[in-house]
Amino acid sequence: MKPGILPILIGSFLTARLCCGQTNLPADDWKPATSNQPGKEYPKVNSERRVKFRIVAPGATNVGVTFRDSSVFEKGEDGAWYGYTRPLDEGFHYYLLKMNGAEVPDPNSLMYFGAQRWGSAVEIPAHDQDFYALKNVPQGQLREVFIYSKSTDSMRRAFIYTPPGYDQNSDQRYPVLYLQHGWGENEYGWGAQGRAREIMDNLIAANKARPFIIVMIYGMTNETRMGGLRDFDIRPFETVLIQEVIPFVDSHFRTLSDQPHRAMAGLSMGAMETKTITLRNLDTFSHIGLFSGGSIAMTNITDLAAFKAKNKLVFVSYGSRELGGNRGGDPKANVEALRQAGINSHFYVSPDTAHEWQSWRRSLREFAPLLFKE
Amino acid sequence: MKPGILPILIGSFLTARLCCGQTNLPADDWKPATSNQPGKEYPKVNSERRVKFRIVAPGATNVGVTFRDSSVFEKGEDGAWYGYTRPLDEGFHYYLLKMNGAEVPDPNSLMYFGAQRWGSAVEIPAHDQDFYALKNVPQGQLREVFIYSKSTDSMRRAFIYTPPGYDQNSDQRYPVLYLQHGWGENEYGWGAQGRAREIMDNLIAANKARPFIIVMIYGMTNETRMGGLRDFDIRPFETVLIQEVIPFVDSHFRTLSDQPHRAMAGLSMGAMETKTITLRNLDTFSHIGLFSGGSIAMTNITDLAAFKAKNKLVFVSYGSRELGGNRGGDPKANVEALRQAGINSHFYVSPDTAHEWQSWRRSLREFAPLLFKE
């Protein structure tokens, strides 16, 4: 090849790409996403962590997805629409299809509750996905249980994880973690996209965490799941949790029902709830986990001696891409201050993830081994 | 009013209706369906059992639903599309939205697996809906459990219903019903749209059924959930059920693991599976339930003496709207012939329902009280 030809070829290549609004061709190693409905080939994910969609909408004139910076969707030879995303972070992302102004679930995707709706999501394979993979290890159970709540006069759904061996070891009692979802999500989140069951089964199989029970309930009392956080009053939920759910769990499951064996954690709004509720119920909870939702500053603690006597752990985490800005003080500095004050405090940053489930799966993986050490 | 005016008014009324392709105005007593996503006002159901939809699709030119004989969808003053169905049967119906040739889930509906997809459905209030309502009675649990299957080298999801008191009565053992879904459905069906948990909790609370365990697994081994029934080979599923799932359940749950305390039932394809598997495993199952999927003719029984000695119940049911035609012989006559031969046989017809879940909910309500009588 003569000198001078190569730049020309590259120039043509770029022009060809730019004509279609794309700056480079995606790698052609697409594989069906694990979050697809059974038997569905699309969406597909490639090694660049892009997602390619196939949408059957013969009469539509304008088709896309809610991921920003996606390619322009175009009709293929089979009449279906095709398009793909920018490279996404590892992990789990909610989305919807856009069709001529309508936003609807993708019929190819499994359905998850987030952003205040049951809708679509895609799983991007992660380099560390083994820790939340479903494996042939001793299995816990995820139990759907309804609890009558007198304060709200309603039956409230709880998902309760019981660790492997719970049914067999009938004379053993277990600590309990109350684990909350984020705003716009619900009690399904941790057991479905959160992979809490797989994470715990795998940690326990590797002898990295003590077996404990996890209780997951809806973190608000607006049964319609509507409305914003601005006017959110935590007290009705606190009543449900403290006065109704905890007594139910302690009377229906073989729990260790004392304060040293009860933890609370949550993500985002769930972290804010955890902070508020644990700080004013020091006699109820000994271990605290705040994932992507603030930290505990020294000024939050009204009685340091009491806190030090009763609290066994403060764990704070964030995704690396969401750090920065004012989050009620620098979380890392707050954790360090607690540690200096003699409180067992840990800070974790999930690499290359944002305010999304991959950060929270990793947070649970880091948090669980620290719980209920005797 | 003068004579002659009334016919003219009626004539005008009919003309006005006919101009819009509608023969009568639907009753204006619409209420949000209980199958809606949290906080969603539409779809709505009226006292005529019609369903009215609101679909936000500003750029679409052609919007509808998969219910036949629905009204023509038209844009309302708010820019959304509105339309409604013919009167539907009481109970549960799958559907999808149609938008310019695309078929997609309705973002307003909860998602259910049927017709080989996670998609939308609507619940039409039934005159007898109390028997499957969620009530503040002693609650069973619906447990999601994964079972390793050697024959398929896969982790298989099971939903296992344990009756109220299972955890507390730790020295009590329970009979087991293996309960199968229909073709195009999966292991979620009976616990979600089938309301098996609510039906059992309510029957047990009313002292109408003995507490027993129910095991619900996927009834095929094509993990992609694709393909038709024509080439369906039941043997891989039979291997999973008989050689893997039953031993797992008997070793992980407090079952009464002898033949008199093990039943199998199913709907549609699940009934056909039940018939095939129970007839060649008489030493495994004592009670048989066939819902909308055939019956047992005398000619199906190769050794009547052995069958009479081992079988304790044959239950056959259909929805009234699906009876007729050749179903491997008249099911009622087949049941009567079994009874004449001294076999404990029952035939049930669900009034005014078709090959749908309301028939199967009622079938379980009728079947469960007949099980495991000592």
Side-chain angles (χ1 to χ4, degrees):
Chain A
M1 189 180 282
K2 288 181 190 172
I5 294 290
L6 192 61
I8 291 169
L9 284 175
I10 292 174
S12 306
F13 180 80
L14 284 177
T15 307
R17 288 301 93 208
L18 289 170
C19 81
C20 310
Q22 298 154 8
T23 53
N24 50 16
L25 268 182
D28 193 19
D29 52 1
W30 304 101
K31 290 177 186 152
T34 58
S35 43
N36 290 357
Q37 293 207 19
K40 299 294 185 186
E41 203 181 355
Y42 285 86
K44 291 181 172 181
V45 185
N46 76 359
S47 55
E48 297 163 343
R49 306 186 311 277
R50 294 180 192 268
V51 185
K52 186 176 178 181
F53 300 88
R54 177 179 188 273
I55 303 173
V56 177
T61 54
N62 191 336
V63 167
V65 291
T66 52
F67 287 111
R68 65 176 168 79
D69 300 335
S70 294
S71 72
V72 174
F73 278 54
E74 294 176 343
K75 272 200 180 179
E77 291 179 3
D78 61 354
W81 294 81
Y82 291 87
Y84 56 86
T85 69
R86 71 188 190 281
L88 302 176
D89 287 343
E90 294 184 343
F92 178 93
H93 310 283
Y94 300 115
Y95 73 96
L96 289 178
L97 300 187
K98 297 195 287 189
M99 286 185 181
N100 284 27
E103 294 202 350
V104 291
D106 184 346
N108 292 328
S109 158
L110 292 174
M111 304 294 174
Y112 301 89
F113 196 83
Q116 298 198 78
R117 67 184 184 228
W118 286 96
S120 299
V122 64
E123 185 72 53
I124 307 289
H127 71 282
D128 57 350
Q129 63 190 3
D130 190 64
F131 82 85
Y132 52 86
L134 176 64
K135 298 181 193 177
N136 184 16
V137 296
Q139 296 284 311
Q141 300 176 1
L142 192 64
R143 307 181 181 194
E144 191 185 25
V145 177
F146 283 86
I147 301 172
Y148 176 71
S149 156
K150 190 176 174 183
S151 68
T152 61
D153 191 22
S154 63
M155 300 295 292
R156 306 192 77 77
R157 181 187 285 106
F159 287 103
I160 300 186
Y161 168 83
T162 53
Y166 179 89
D167 281 330
Q168 286 69 48
N169 309 328
S170 58
D171 53 357
Q172 191 174 338
R173 303 186 77 88
Y174 296 84
V176 186
L177 165 64
Y178 291 82
L179 185 59
Q180 293 305 128
H181 58 82
W183 185 80
E185 298 175 329
N186 69 10
E187 66 274 18
Y188 286 84
W190 272 109
Q193 58 266 45
R195 304 282 185 98
R197 160 226 287 282
E198 293 90 337
I199 292 168
M200 290 308 304
D201 285 350
N202 291 338
L203 285 173
I204 292 167
N207 208 20
K208 289 181 180 169
R210 174 176 176 176
F212 54 82
I213 294 166
I214 303 179
V215 177
M216 294 154 274
I217 57 172
Y218 182 58
M220 302 176 96
T221 53
N222 59 335
E223 297 315 304
T224 57
R225 269 79 159 162
M226 296 296 281
L229 267 178
R230 180 198 295 261
D231 302 318
F232 177 56
D233 177 2
I234 198 172
R235 285 171 298 183
F237 169 67
E238 187 174 354
T239 298
V240 168
L241 175 65
I242 302 287
Q243 295 181 22
E244 298 170 343
V245 173
I246 290 178
F248 178 94
V249 170
D250 283 335
S251 62
H252 287 75
F253 289 82
R254 296 195 317 278
T255 64
L256 291 163
S257 60
D258 53 347
Q259 185 263 9
H261 297 97
R262 194 180 297 114
M264 184 172 181
L267 70 92
S268 195
M269 176 189 81
M272 293 184 259
E273 295 179 322
T274 297
K275 177 177 172 177
T276 301
I277 290 174
T278 57
L279 284 179
R280 55 186 186 211
N281 292 276
L282 285 179
D283 290 330
T284 304
F285 301 99
S286 52
H287 298 68
I288 302 172
L290 311 177
F291 309 161
S292 299
S295 55
I296 294 177
M298 290 298 292
T299 50
N300 297 135
I301 300 173
T302 49
D303 182 341
L304 182 61
F307 190 87
K308 285 178 68 172
K310 293 173 181 172
N311 180 274
K312 302 299 176 206
L313 174 70
V314 174
F315 176 94
V316 174
S317 68
Y318 277 97
S320 67
R321 298 201 200 287
E322 58 175 333
L323 275 174
N326 184 352
R327 301 186 171 281
D330 175 49
K332 187 176 180 181
N334 281 344
V335 167
E336 185 55 34
L338 293 184
R339 191 177 313 183
Q340 294 293 331
I343 295 161
N344 180 27
S345 306
H346 292 255
F347 185 60
Y348 170 70
V349 176
S350 164
D352 303 323
T353 61
H355 198 69
E356 292 190 288
W357 277 99
Q358 193 69 3
S359 300
W360 307 322
R361 293 168 176 170
R362 290 174 178 162
S363 294
L364 179 59
R365 178 194 63 193
E366 299 296 315
F367 177 61
L370 305 174
L371 288 179
F372 312 122
K373 301 212 160 190
E374 312 253 330
Chain B
M1 188 179 287
K2 288 182 189 171
I5 293 291
L6 191 61
I8 290 168
L9 284 174
I10 290 174
S12 304
F13 180 79
L14 284 176
T15 306
R17 288 299 95 208
L18 288 169
C19 81
C20 311
Q22 297 155 7
T23 53
N24 49 16
L25 268 181
D28 194 20
D29 52 2
W30 304 101
K31 289 180 187 150
T34 58
S35 42
N36 289 356
Q37 293 207 18
K40 299 295 185 185
E41 202 182 356
Y42 285 86
K44 291 182 173 181
V45 185
N46 76 359
S47 56
E48 298 162 342
R49 306 186 310 278
R50 294 181 191 267
V51 185
K52 186 176 179 182
F53 299 89
R54 178 180 188 272
I55 303 174
V56 177
T61 54
N62 192 336
V63 166
V65 291
T66 52
F67 288 110
R68 65 176 167 79
D69 300 334
S70 294
S71 72
V72 174
F73 278 54
E74 294 176 343
K75 272 200 180 178
E77 290 179 4
D78 60 356
W81 294 80
Y82 292 87
Y84 55 87
T85 69
R86 71 187 189 283
L88 303 175
D89 287 344
E90 294 184 343
F92 178 91
H93 310 284
Y94 300 114
Y95 73 96
L96 289 177
L97 299 187
K98 297 195 287 189
M99 286 184 179
N100 284 28
E103 293 201 351
V104 293
D106 184 347
N108 292 328
S109 158
L110 292 173
M111 303 295 174
Y112 301 89
F113 195 83
Q116 299 198 77
R117 68 186 182 225
W118 287 96
S120 298
V122 64
E123 186 74 52
I124 307 289
H127 71 282
D128 57 350
Q129 63 190 1
D130 190 64
F131 82 84
Y132 52 87
L134 176 63
K135 298 180 193 176
N136 185 17
V137 296
Q139 295 285 310
Q141 300 176 1
L142 192 63
R143 307 183 180 192
E144 190 184 25
V145 178
F146 283 86
I147 302 172
Y148 176 70
S149 156
K150 191 176 173 186
S151 68
T152 60
D153 191 24
S154 63
M155 300 295 292
R156 305 191 78 78
R157 181 186 284 107
F159 287 104
I160 300 186
Y161 168 81
T162 53
Y166 179 89
D167 281 332
Q168 287 68 47
N169 309 329
S170 58
D171 53 357
Q172 190 175 338
R173 304 186 76 87
Y174 296 84
V176 186
L177 165 64
Y178 291 82
L179 185 59
Q180 294 304 129
H181 58 82
W183 185 80
E185 298 175 329
N186 69 11
E187 66 274 18
Y188 286 84
W190 272 109
Q193 59 265 46
R195 305 281 185 98
R197 161 228 287 282
E198 293 89 338
I199 293 168
M200 290 308 304
D201 285 351
N202 291 338
L203 285 172
I204 292 167
N207 207 20
K208 290 181 178 167
R210 174 175 174 176
F212 54 83
I213 293 165
I214 304 179
V215 177
M216 293 154 274
I217 58 172
Y218 182 58
M220 302 175 97
T221 54
N222 58 334
E223 297 315 305
T224 57
R225 268 79 158 162
M226 298 295 282
L229 267 179
R230 180 198 295 261
D231 302 319
F232 177 56
D233 178 1
I234 197 174
R235 284 170 299 183
F237 169 67
E238 187 174 353
T239 298
V240 168
L241 175 64
I242 302 287
Q243 295 181 22
E244 296 170 343
V245 173
I246 290 178
F248 178 94
V249 170
D250 283 335
S251 63
H252 287 75
F253 289 81
R254 296 196 316 280
T255 64
L256 291 163
S257 60
D258 53 347
Q259 186 264 8
H261 297 98
R262 194 180 296 115
M264 183 171 182
L267 70 91
S268 194
M269 177 189 80
M272 293 184 261
E273 295 179 322
T274 297
K275 176 178 173 178
T276 301
I277 290 175
T278 55
L279 284 178
R280 57 187 186 209
N281 293 275
L282 285 180
D283 291 331
T284 303
F285 301 98
S286 51
H287 298 68
I288 301 172
L290 310 178
F291 309 162
S292 299
S295 55
I296 294 177
M298 289 299 291
T299 51
N300 297 136
I301 300 173
T302 51
D303 182 340
L304 181 61
F307 190 86
K308 285 179 68 172
K310 293 173 179 171
N311 180 273
K312 303 298 177 206
L313 174 70
V314 174
F315 176 94
V316 174
S317 67
Y318 278 96
S320 67
R321 297 201 202 286
E322 58 175 335
L323 276 174
N326 184 352
R327 302 186 172 280
D330 174 49
K332 186 175 181 183
N334 281 343
V335 166
E336 185 55 33
L338 292 184
R339 192 177 312 181
Q340 293 294 330
I343 295 161
N344 180 26
S345 306
H346 292 254
F347 185 59
Y348 170 71
V349 176
S350 164
D352 303 324
T353 62
H355 198 69
E356 292 191 288
W357 277 99
Q358 193 70 2
S359 299
W360 307 322
R361 293 167 175 168
R362 290 174 178 164
S363 294
L364 178 59
R365 177 194 65 193
E366 300 296 315
F367 178 61
L370 304 173
L371 288 178
F372 312 123
K373 302 212 161 189
E374 312 253 329

